[in-house]
Structure formats: structure tokens, C-alpha cells
Amino acid sequence: MGKHERGWVEATEKLTAQLANGTAPDPDLEEQGEPDLAKALAERIRADFPDRTAVRHAGNSYDSLGDLIVDAADGETFLEAKFVASGGTRANLGQDTLTQFGLFEDATAWSDFREEIGFPEDREALLRRFDDYPDDVRDWSYKSAVYDRAKHLKNVLDVSRGQKTGSRADEVLADPDSTERQREAARIVNAILELDREEKFAYFDHLREAEQNPRNVETFAHLIICGYHTADALEEHFDDDLDEIKRLLETDSYRLYEVNKNSGAVTVENPSELLAGFEWADTRVEIPEDGTSVSVVTGPPENRRRVLNIAYNWKNKFQGIQTPSMNVFVPEA
């Protein structure tokens, strides 16, 4: 989260505490934050905690989970407030997250692994097979050359909005009326998709040989479930005591509140319910023999539970081209 966004978010959190307590809102906070969102969140908190004695803003120096703390006679409840553009968001993390946070202790980062096996050069060689690039994307010396060529291939294939490029390539190859230019673009796209898939399989082979740190795996899973979905948020809390995080969840003392920035609708998630019944024994990253996703699983073999699914993905153009990332999903109960 950038400094500007953090500024209005923190102001809105502080406004929420004031409104939930029934005190007059600070005019400076009203100017810096989003009063309508604060009002919606405060109303939901008042409804959810009728026996509260106070609502406090945790402050930047507070080293536990939650932006807001609800005080009541029977103890504290920590609330993480997220202001989102749409509901149901999950993590979209950087490509090297699992090695960055030590889930694998001696593994090469995905970005470095691709360089080591020559993936960029192999991808370029495939893109160079196409002879009909326009003049403005023929220069290989600038940074966006790969992206521009991939975009041109998509244009040649006439990929419709929302359609997977590989699916469109298959349609072109199956269509007897396709031109040879379209067929060549389709063959190159499919070759890059296959190259990417083979590279991911090779990387998973590498990860399978690496040592895992079960406590880091478990910490990562807990933080994701608790709503910490950016590298900065994970970095801020990764050194928090895992036993304390688990205590908050086990004593029902933590909630995740999501406020839709467009509608003001507030949804609440109880992470302890998502993790109900998990034994946290033999916690590990499970790596399949095929497929391009891994899973965080826990429990003995006879009661194995999946906590998270993590897909290795490229967000832009098509697989193997631009913005490698990790998409993290909480499996359906």
C-alpha cells in the first residue's frame, strides 16, 4: 500500500473509532479520510459489538494484528479493516513470495530460476519466428519489446476480451479459413504457452527438493487467512508471534472487515471459522506432479486439509509473457 493510500486509510480507521464511540469526528480526519466509509464501518461495528466499552485505533506502533481494537468487559477483539474495490478479494502476490518469506529455505527464487535455465532467451527465439511485425515493434533493444510482440500476436489472432489466448490460438488452427499468418501466430503462442508450462514443471521439481520451514508456512497461511494480502502487510507482521496469532483466532478475538469503496457495503469474515478443525501438524507446501499450482496443507495423511491454493501465473498478455505473480485462493469449505 502506497503512502498516499495508507494516509487516507489510517485517517478513515481513526474516524471509524471516533464514530463508533459516539464522539465528534475530527475535522482534519474527515478531510484526510473517507467519512462515508468510516460511518458505514462504525455502524457495523456498533451492531456487531453491542456490549463494547470503547473502540480504539491500534496505531502504527501496535505490534499485533488488527487496525481497530474493540474493548468489552470480557476482553479485546482485534479488527482488520480493508477498503476494497470489490468484495471477496484474495491475495495477488509477487512471484518470489514463497522464497522471500522463507517457506522454502534453500530454494532459488522463481525469477532467478527462469534466468538460470534460459527462459527469456528461449521465449525471444520463439517470438522472432514471426516475420510480419509492424515497424514500430521490430526493435529488440527496448524494455517492452517482448510485451509489444506478444500483444501484436494477440491482435493477429483477434483475441476477444476475456478470451484466453491459448483457446483462441486453438480455434485459429482448427479453422480451415485461417490465413497462414494467423496460423503462424497461433503456433508461436502455443509454443510459448508450452515453454512456460515446462518451465513451471521444472521449477516445481526444484522446489520439491528444497527444505521447507513448517513454521514459516504456517505463519504465511495464517496471515493470508487474516487478510494480509500484500508483501508490505506480510512483511509488517511476519515476525509476529505465531502462537499469539493463533490465540487470537482460537479465542474468537479477531475479525476481518471489508468495506466496499464504491457501495459502502461492509462484509465480515471470521478467520477462525475458516480454520476450524485444522490440526496444524505436518504443515507443508504440497507440490503436485502436474499442474501449475501448489497448496498449503496441514494435518496427518489420514486427515490432510488444504488451507490455501497458490497458482503461479502471468497477469498480462498471456502465460509466459508479462507480470509473473502468485494468485492465492482460500479453498471452498
Side-chain angles (χ1 to χ4, degrees):
M1 182 182 297
K3 290 182 179 179
H4 174 72
E5 184 175 359
R6 182 64 247 177
W8 78 257
V9 167
E10 186 172 327
T12 304
E13 293 165 356
K14 291 178 178 178
L15 267 178
T16 299
Q18 292 177 346
L19 294 171
N21 289 326
T23 59
D26 185 319
D28 289 339
L29 292 177
E30 288 185 307
E31 182 176 348
Q32 297 164 15
E34 295 288 342
D36 289 344
L37 300 182
K39 180 181 177 182
L41 180 55
E43 288 177 350
R44 181 61 185 265
I45 291 172
R46 287 199 298 267
D48 290 350
F49 297 92
D51 297 328
R52 70 194 179 282
T53 57
V55 178
R56 293 179 284 131
H57 185 254
N60 291 333
S61 63
Y62 204 92
D63 63 355
S64 187
L65 298 183
D67 303 304
L68 297 164
I69 306 167
V70 179
D71 292 323
D74 57 354
E76 300 173 323
T77 302
F78 296 81
L79 312 182
E80 174 70 9
K82 291 176 66 67
F83 300 94
V84 300
S86 59
T89 57
R90 291 300 178 189
N92 191 314
L93 295 167
Q95 60 180 316
D96 297 333
T97 298
L98 298 190
T99 49
Q100 175 186 350
F101 288 97
L103 280 69
F104 295 92
E105 294 188 322
D106 58 351
T108 301
W110 186 28
S111 57
D112 293 334
F113 182 84
R114 291 197 308 274
E115 295 288 337
E116 290 177 4
I117 67 171
F119 176 83
E121 293 81 5
D122 293 341
R123 178 182 58 185
E124 180 178 326
L126 290 170
L127 288 169
R128 284 183 179 274
R129 291 182 183 177
F130 194 74
D131 293 328
D132 194 25
Y133 291 115
D135 291 340
D136 61 344
V137 296
R138 286 185 177 277
D139 186 357
W140 282 94
S141 65
Y142 55 92
K143 186 176 181 180
S144 64
V146 167
Y147 313 149
D148 291 342
R149 280 159 176 74
K151 181 179 179 180
H152 181 71
L153 294 182
K154 290 185 68 172
N155 290 338
V156 172
L157 295 176
D158 193 23
V159 180
S160 60
R161 186 174 181 83
Q163 183 180 30
K164 290 189 175 182
T165 307
S167 297
R168 177 57 185 157
D170 291 340
E171 289 177 0
V172 166
L173 291 173
D175 185 351
D177 294 328
S178 297
T179 66
E180 183 53 35
R181 178 171 175 267
Q182 290 174 318
R183 292 178 181 279
E184 181 62 13
R187 286 191 288 266
I188 292 170
V189 164
N190 280 345
I192 292 172
L193 294 176
E194 181 60 27
L195 178 69
D196 168 68
R197 189 171 177 82
E198 291 176 354
E199 178 272 320
K200 286 172 182 169
F201 287 162
Y203 187 57
F204 285 2
D205 286 342
H206 170 71
L207 290 181
R208 207 172 282 111
E209 298 299 319
E211 288 291 328
Q212 296 187 28
N213 183 316
R215 190 170 183 86
N216 285 353
V217 175
E218 191 172 342
T219 299
F220 175 79
H222 275 79
L223 289 175
I224 292 292
I225 293 291
C226 287
Y228 294 89
H229 294 164
T230 67
D232 287 346
L234 289 172
E235 185 75 41
E236 181 179 355
H237 289 285
F238 212 83
D239 290 334
D240 289 351
D241 186 76
L242 177 60
D243 293 332
E244 173 62 13
I245 295 173
K246 293 170 75 171
R247 184 194 67 79
L248 290 176
L249 296 179
E250 290 166 358
T251 58
D252 205 25
S253 301
Y254 180 86
R255 295 286 191 282
L256 172 61
Y257 281 69
E258 286 194 347
V259 185
N260 188 296
K261 291 189 289 187
N262 298 315
S263 67
V266 181
T267 58
V268 184
E269 190 169 82
N270 186 344
S272 64
E273 294 177 356
L274 291 174
L275 298 177
F278 285 54
E279 297 183 35
W280 301 111
D282 193 21
T283 304
R284 62 204 180 277
V285 179
E286 186 175 77
I287 304 166
E289 293 295 333
D290 56 7
T292 55
S293 300
V294 301
S295 299
V296 173
V297 301
T298 192
E302 64 275 11
N303 191 30
R304 171 183 167 280
R305 300 282 299 278
R306 182 177 287 106
V307 188
L308 301 173
N309 293 329
I310 305 168
Y312 282 71
N313 189 40
W314 300 74
K315 292 195 290 186
N316 299 109
K317 304 300 185 291
F318 52 89
Q319 296 300 299
I321 295 296
Q322 189 176 3
T323 322
S325 65
M326 284 173 34
N327 298 111
V328 186
F329 307 91
V330 175
E332 294 295 330

